[in-house]
Amino acid sequence: DIQMTQSPSSVSASVGDRVTITCRASQGIGSWLAWYQQKPGKAPKLLIYAASSLQSGVPSRFSGSGSGTDFTLTISSLQPEDFATYYCQQANNFPRTFGGGTKVEIK
Amino acid sequence: EVQLVESGGGLVQPGGSLRLSCAASGFTFSSYWMSWVRQAPGKGLEWVANMKQDGSEKYYVDSVKGRFTISRDNAKNSLYLQMNSLRAEDTAVYYCARGNTNYGYWGQGTLVTVSS
């Protein structure tokens, strides 16, 4: 199975900060990577697919990059509604696997 | 509007069975892969299974192979997850999600608790 490792596991940031989350795959996955945002008690929300494609309706302050084994999710200017947990997910192989999550907290 | 509504969760004893359902609306159900993803209390997301539009392909995470069966009824716009031989570690919120490589729509989830 492909292991997805996210870092950091948590980050404290202020409104307006630039936040970068990293996801590393245990083997190459091309661009088969998605990013999700999840708030407590809610279902995940798709932000980015195919490593860098912005899902419809998602603010442009979210961006994704990378290919192969190393990927990043960047929030260019953190907004109050962005405090949540973020997950990466690979779709190169079965089983699909998620990263362990990165919690973005208020500083 | 796309809607996915799960049902069928509840409390079950170890070794027991449960069948989850997901009612889909607002899109052509028969045109999409469908998936189940679960989340144990306080933990991360775990993909469980998915199924091709016509049912010709099904995939499972190793931990549920031989115990869980994914199925669908395109005439009823419904996805199912039959869960047998349930274990304490299967305790989680189970989400129905649309898609194969990424999941753009999710249900609200249904809680399955396996405990004596």
Side-chain angles (χ1 to χ4, degrees):
Chain A
D1 297 1
I2 297 176
Q3 307 303 317
M4 305 301 293
T5 304
Q6 284 183 237
S7 60
S9 56
S10 66
V11 57
S12 294
S14 301
V15 173
D17 284 353
R18 181 182 184 90
V19 173
T20 298
I21 299 168
T22 296
C23 180
R24 175 163 289 175
S26 60
Q27 65 188 74
I29 60 170
S31 295
W32 292 104
L33 187 98
W35 288 98
Y36 300 85
Q37 175 194 68
Q38 188 179 32
K39 297 181 179 179
K42 300 294 187 182
K45 173 186 175 182
L46 177 65
L47 301 175
I48 302 285
Y49 63 95
S52 60
S53 295
L54 192 67
Q55 174 72 348
S56 176
V58 174
S60 58
R61 63 181 179 272
F62 291 93
S63 64
S65 65
S67 67
T69 59
D70 295 315
F71 301 86
T72 59
L73 173 70
T74 300
I75 310 172
S76 60
S77 178
L78 199 65
Q79 297 302 299
E81 59 269 31
D82 300 337
F83 292 97
T85 300
Y86 294 83
Y87 295 93
C88 62
Q89 172 244 320
Q90 67 81 21
N92 187 68
N93 285 1
F94 288 105
R96 307 303 193 211
T97 46
F98 289 86
T102 296
K103 187 172 185 180
V104 177
E105 300 174 299
I106 302 172
K107 193 176 216 178
Chain B
E1 179 194 6
V2 172
Q3 281 199 315
L4 298 169
V5 179
E6 301 94 338
S7 59
L11 176 63
V12 61
Q13 291 189 339
S17 298
L18 216 51
R19 189 196 197 206
L20 305 184
S21 299
C22 171
S25 61
F27 65 101
T28 304
F29 181 75
S30 58
S31 296
Y32 290 87
W33 282 74
M34 293 297 296
S35 304
W36 289 98
V37 177
R38 67 184 178 183
Q39 187 168 35
K43 302 298 184 183
L45 300 169
E46 181 182 37
W47 175 86
V48 174
N50 72 356
M51 186 170 186
K52 195 175 180 180
Q53 293 92 323
D54 61 359
S56 60
E57 295 181 42
K58 305 178 186 182
Y59 300 93
Y60 300 90
V61 68
D62 281 352
S63 59
V64 309
K65 280 180 184 174
R67 301 188 299 122
F68 290 13
T69 302
I70 188 173
S71 62
R72 64 193 294 164
D73 185 335
N74 287 341
K76 294 184 177 180
N77 292 335
S78 293
L79 179 72
Y80 306 101
L81 187 66
Q82 177 66 43
M83 304 186 296
N84 299 330
S85 303
L86 281 161
R87 305 167 181 166
E89 54 265 35
D90 295 319
T91 294
V93 173
Y94 284 74
Y95 294 102
C96 163
R98 191 182 86 173
N100 177 21
T101 56
N102 59 75
Y103 311 113
Y105 292 95
W106 298 66
Q108 84 288 352
T110 187
L111 176 62
V112 172
T113 303
V114 184
S115 175
S116 54

